[in-house]
Amino acid sequence: MIQHILRRTLRSLKENFSLNLVATGVIGATVLLAGVYLSALQTLDRVVESWDRDAHVSAYFQPEIEVELRFATKDQIAARQEVATVSYVSEEDAAAYLSERVEEVGPILEELGPEVLPASLEITLSQGHATPAEIQAFVDSIDGPPFEHVDYGQDWVQRFHTFLTLLRGLGLVLGVLISLAAIFLVGNTMHLVAYARRAELETMKLVGATWGFTALPFALEGCVQGLIGGGMGLLGVYALHQVLVARLEDALALALAGAELSFLGAGWAVLLLGASVLLGVCGCLWSVTRFWRKAP
């Protein structure tokens, strides 16, 4: 029985090579789209994680605050459990830092004097307290005298987190739609294969062959299509990664952000390959079911 099923599967793959090639291509394209989407989402997650690890707050002192009170405030903040490091930046240090990075500002600062820039505390929060809500709570707790203004560059990260959540939801919907379209295309392609063998299948049904015995070769055929198509899709994702990774890292400076464009991990690759096999099997079984119900 097993040998008979394998012979029927191999014969169908050979005799309907062009149709099977189309179905395999559809599965490969589906895996390619899913792989590119997951790679992009994985990279964005790493970027956000790197920003969370570098949660930074700048607290600017009021001009009239004495140096002794500034350092006393620095020690109080450094003792808090959510703070990783604190450094004091004087007016002179701030002017030198700005002049070093923006040469055009140097002459202006020399004319106005270093006091034009406020002294500040540069605070880095620990990784366990770097979510947008925790950063905002920390800023609220220190905002006010002796500080004139408290600023942090993480306020837009909350919007980016919201954007990522929306992107994941849209990706899930898009993935479902693409999968349904792929099942429809693979199923219709395999329906053509079943139609080409309709005389054989009708005869099998008339002599009492069960649906499972008839559908099993098609399921194996879909499994082969899924393995080949999934492998082609993963190779396509890897090729795109190799071609584009260096250019995108240079253009977006992701390496400076503590993140890198990386290929899908082994877990995701296995999951996509399994999904492609399931896609091929479901498409084939759907086509056989449609034909089986219409056959006399």
Side-chain angles (χ1 to χ4, degrees):
M1 177 178 175
I2 296 178
Q3 292 180 348
H4 173 71
I5 292 174
L6 291 176
R7 281 199 305 269
R8 289 176 56 199
T9 302
L10 293 175
R11 187 182 68 182
S12 179
L13 288 171
K14 182 179 179 181
E15 293 178 350
N16 301 282
F17 178 77
S18 58
L19 292 175
N20 285 304
L21 186 62
V22 171
T24 301
V26 171
I27 295 174
T30 303
V31 173
L32 176 63
L33 290 174
V36 170
Y37 167 76
L38 289 173
S39 295
L41 191 62
Q42 188 171 277
T43 300
L44 288 175
D45 283 337
R46 287 199 180 98
V47 171
V48 174
E49 287 176 4
S50 69
W51 290 333
D52 286 347
R53 287 194 298 269
D54 191 29
H56 187 77
V57 176
S58 297
Y60 300 96
F61 285 106
Q62 297 172 347
E64 65 274 9
I65 301 299
E66 298 294 334
V67 175
E68 293 78 7
L69 180 57
R70 297 176 185 178
F71 280 96
T73 304
K74 173 180 176 293
D75 294 337
Q76 292 176 1
I77 292 178
R80 297 181 57 160
Q81 62 176 0
E82 63 263 49
V83 175
T85 61
V86 182
S87 60
Y88 172 72
V89 180
S90 65
E91 294 90 339
E92 293 79 7
D93 293 335
Y97 181 87
L98 184 59
S99 299
E100 181 181 346
R101 282 156 181 78
V102 186
E103 296 181 358
E104 295 79 3
V105 177
I108 300 176
L109 292 177
E110 290 180 2
E111 182 176 348
L112 297 177
E115 294 78 12
V116 69
L117 297 177
S120 64
L121 293 181
E122 303 301 320
I123 307 165
T124 301
L125 300 182
S126 59
Q127 186 174 349
H129 300 274
T131 64
E134 289 173 321
I135 296 173
Q136 185 61 54
F138 175 79
V139 170
D140 292 340
S141 68
I142 66 172
D143 195 9
F147 298 118
E148 184 175 26
H149 177 63
V150 180
D151 183 35
Y152 67 104
Q154 299 288 323
D155 53 343
W156 65 280
V157 173
Q158 174 119 26
R159 301 189 187 97
F160 200 77
H161 276 285
T162 304
F163 169 73
L164 279 181
T165 302
L166 179 61
L167 186 63
R168 291 189 186 99
L170 291 176
L172 179 61
V173 174
L174 182 62
V176 171
L177 292 177
I178 291 175
S179 298
L180 291 176
I183 290 176
F184 177 78
L185 291 174
V186 173
N188 278 284
T189 303
M190 292 309 299
H191 188 71
L192 294 177
V193 176
Y195 183 79
R197 297 169 56 186
R198 63 188 182 280
E200 175 188 347
L201 297 180
E202 288 175 356
T203 301
M204 292 178 63
K205 186 175 182 180
L206 288 173
V207 298
T210 63
W211 179 87
F213 181 80
T214 305
L216 188 55
F218 288 89
L220 291 177
E221 199 169 340
C223 182
V224 173
Q225 293 172 355
L227 284 173
I228 297 175
M232 290 171 55
L234 290 175
L235 286 176
V237 176
Y238 182 74
L240 285 175
H241 171 263
Q242 293 297 106
V243 171
L244 299 178
V245 60
R247 298 178 183 178
L248 288 178
E249 282 187 345
D250 290 340
L252 302 178
L254 289 177
L256 298 177
E260 60 178 4
L261 289 167
S262 60
F263 182 64
L264 290 172
W268 279 115
V270 172
L271 182 62
L272 284 176
L273 191 60
S276 67
V277 172
L278 182 63
L279 185 60
V281 172
C282 289
C284 291
L285 292 180
W286 180 49
S287 69
V288 175
T289 301
R290 290 170 60 195
F291 180 83
W292 189 263
R293 290 175 178 173
K294 295 179 181 178

